Amino acid sequence: MGKLLLLDIDGTLLNSHKELPASAKSALAQARENGHELAIATGRAPFMFEELRKELDIDTFISFNGQYIVHQQKPIHKESLDPETLESIYEYAEQQDHPLVFMNETKMVSSIDYHPHIEESIKSLKFLHPETEAGFHADNEIYQALVFCEEQEEQQYHDKFKTVDFVRWHRVSCDILPKGGTKASGIKRLIKLTGHSIEDTIAFGDGLNDLQMMETAGYSVAMDNGHEQTKAIASYITDHVDNDGLAKAFKYLGLI
């Protein structure tokens, strides 16, 4: 059996311009031909990388940092945020003038018509500022929410809401996830279906939300553009994503 390759999107598959390098696309195709299985592991919602999945012909993924897992197009795990906790966070954040965005597998909705922090961070993913929709977070399963605050404002949320995790992914935004919901837990659920062992998994990432995934996988590769904490725990550090880092890692590991 080949390896199970777990691929982060932003800063790993996609370069700093949010484009898929030709070298990465070719490397993935070659790795598949060589018997390796490809899976995406991302903090993004499924609707945010649907076109990328189609382009790469990948039908297995861990999304929302582990909260929504699909194996060969079939959802195998869903874990939404507790509605009462989410409402409490919403009310508290409103008092602090911190807007929220709520996401399920098909769309995202803002708690406010417009906010520059939402614009800045969501635009970095090549998406427009989401619209508002009354009652969306109360009427739908929400797998991930985003709270928009700067780093020095973040600790109050950790102190007040102990049953969820806040994971910073942008200068002005934190993911809100069920406690313990990580890409690492997603890997453990996924390999039960793929037949791989942990030792057969290789994680590729760059961000803070990749830390636990990289600690759990049998082998881990950090991009040179990655966070210093991510690079510190990686088994190997490859070149910058903008300099064919993913393809170079595949060659180094003998995947292609």
Side-chain angles (χ1 to χ4, degrees):
M1 179 179 286
K3 301 291 187 180
L4 175 62
L5 310 180
L6 299 143
L7 302 147
D8 172 55
I9 293 181
D10 299 290
T12 303
L13 272 175
L14 300 185
N15 63 22
S16 58
H17 302 290
K18 300 301 180 186
E19 299 167 343
L20 176 67
S23 62
K25 185 175 181 178
S26 176
L28 293 173
Q30 291 177 56
R32 180 185 279 119
E33 288 178 7
N34 291 339
H36 304 293
E37 186 169 351
L38 307 177
I40 288 174
T42 180
R44 287 188 180 218
F47 70 88
M48 289 181 159
F49 58 102
E50 185 174 0
E51 292 303 315
L52 181 64
R53 297 199 307 273
K54 290 177 180 177
E55 182 177 358
L56 297 175
D57 193 26
I58 295 177
D59 58 11
T60 294
F61 60 86
I62 298 166
S63 63
F64 292 124
N65 288 317
Q67 304 317 118
Y68 193 94
I69 305 171
V70 170
H71 178 243
Q72 296 178 353
Q73 298 186 7
K74 291 181 61 177
I76 63 168
H77 175 74
K78 300 178 183 181
E79 184 178 355
S80 58
L81 288 157
D82 174 68
E84 290 185 8
T85 301
L86 190 57
E87 181 63 26
S88 296
I89 295 171
Y90 168 64
E91 291 174 358
Y92 181 79
E94 195 172 41
Q95 294 170 7
Q96 315 308 314
D97 291 325
H98 295 155
L100 273 75
V101 163
F102 307 102
M103 290 188 282
N104 63 13
E105 71 275 25
T106 61
K107 66 188 297 186
M108 59 179 164
V109 169
S110 173
S111 68
I112 193 171
D113 288 335
Y114 176 81
H115 194 282
H117 286 175
I118 298 179
E119 176 82 6
E120 176 186 338
S121 54
I122 298 299
K123 189 176 180 180
S124 75
L125 300 174
K126 301 293 185 181
F127 283 87
L128 299 175
H129 191 298
E131 296 181 354
T132 59
E133 184 178 316
F136 180 78
H137 71 280
D139 298 335
N140 293 271
E141 296 286 307
I142 303 300
Y143 297 105
Q144 188 179 79
L146 309 175
V147 60
F148 294 86
C149 64
E150 297 188 20
E151 190 169 0
Q152 67 269 22
E153 302 171 305
E154 179 184 330
Q155 188 59 45
Q156 59 188 312
Y157 290 96
H158 295 278
D159 295 340
K160 189 169 182 63
F161 302 102
K162 302 290 189 181
T163 60
V164 295
D165 288 328
F166 296 88
V167 181
R168 182 159 294 276
W169 67 277
H170 188 274
R171 183 185 74 83
V172 294
S173 184
C174 284
D175 292 330
I176 306 172
L177 300 162
K179 198 74 174 177
T182 65
K183 295 180 185 181
S185 62
I187 294 172
K188 293 173 182 176
R189 290 187 170 97
L190 190 56
I191 61 174
K192 291 179 181 179
L193 287 178
T194 64
H196 293 86
S197 67
I198 282 291
E199 290 72 29
D200 293 326
T201 60
I202 306 177
F204 299 81
D206 70 305
L208 291 175
N209 66 344
D210 296 318
L211 285 173
Q212 290 172 303
M213 172 176 79
M214 297 177 78
E215 288 174 333
T216 298
Y219 194 89
S220 60
V221 176
M223 312 301 288
D224 188 55
N225 48 280
H227 194 284
E228 290 305 317
Q229 289 183 47
T230 307
K231 293 194 284 187
I233 66 164
S235 309
Y236 174 70
I237 302 173
T238 188
D239 208 339
H240 195 288
V241 66
D242 291 345
N243 196 30
D244 302 321
L246 193 64
K248 288 176 180 177
F250 275 37
K251 290 176 182 176
Y252 174 82
L253 294 173
L255 301 171
I256 59 175

